[in-house]
Amino acid sequence: MEKHLLQRYQTKLIEVRQRLIDEVNSAEESLREDINSPGTTSNLPTHPADHDSTGLDEQLAIVANEEQLLEEVEAALARIEAGSFGKCVDCNKPIDAQRLAAIPYAARCIDCAKRHEVELS
Ligand SMILES: [Zn+2]
């Protein structure tokens, strides 16, 4: 991959990483506030459906999702350092430029990503 293109991806990935770190931090902070705020534990709704839309489970899921994303972004930055960025980690073929433009932290080409998802599910 051309160096200027690589640098552009690196800049983008660093921005995404920073945004994710901020979001994880503020989500964890509000989670702590939810858990620690006085009086809420004694009168918690007994039925899960009574929870508001930003319930604890949902927030935890968001944090888990963003931490997962953060790992993928870190891995992509490591691949830039290692010189293997833009190549599929499974088949070593170049990842489609459009795919990389949309998902700069993509580790796999479309074919391998599909196969990977099937394997996971
Ligand atoms: Zn592949």
Side-chain angles (χ1 to χ4, degrees):
M1 185 178 288
E2 287 174 55
K3 207 174 176 196
H4 74 275
L5 209 59
L6 209 55
Q7 280 172 343
R8 213 158 67 196
Y9 280 124
Q10 190 175 32
T11 307
K12 197 171 176 180
L13 283 163
I14 289 169
E15 278 172 19
V16 172
R17 179 174 64 177
Q18 192 53 54
R19 186 174 55 83
L20 284 169
I21 290 170
D22 288 348
E23 280 174 14
V24 168
N25 283 344
S26 69
E28 281 178 347
E29 209 165 290
S30 72
L31 276 176
R32 263 196 304 274
E33 280 167 17
D34 280 0
I35 292 163
N36 292 334
S37 51
T40 49
T41 44
S42 55
N43 53 15
L44 268 181
T46 48
H47 195 272
D50 292 337
H51 283 292
D52 60 26
S53 59
T54 52
L56 210 58
D57 286 349
E58 196 177 327
Q59 283 192 48
L60 284 171
I62 291 168
V63 170
N65 187 39
E66 285 182 338
E67 281 177 341
Q68 166 73 33
L69 213 57
L70 194 55
E71 270 177 38
E72 288 175 30
V73 172
E74 299 272 15
L77 283 165
R79 286 197 298 278
I80 290 178
E81 296 291 331
S84 60
F85 180 81
K87 281 186 207 151
C88 175
V89 295
D90 281 352
C91 69
N92 216 29
K93 282 183 201 151
I95 298 171
D96 188 70
Q98 272 186 321
R99 176 170 167 77
L100 271 183
I103 317 167
Y105 47 83
R108 290 175 175 82
C109 68
I110 290 173
D111 288 343
C112 291
K114 278 184 193 155
R115 209 172 326 150
H116 190 66
E117 271 168 35
V118 172
E119 278 166 17
L120 286 180
S121 58

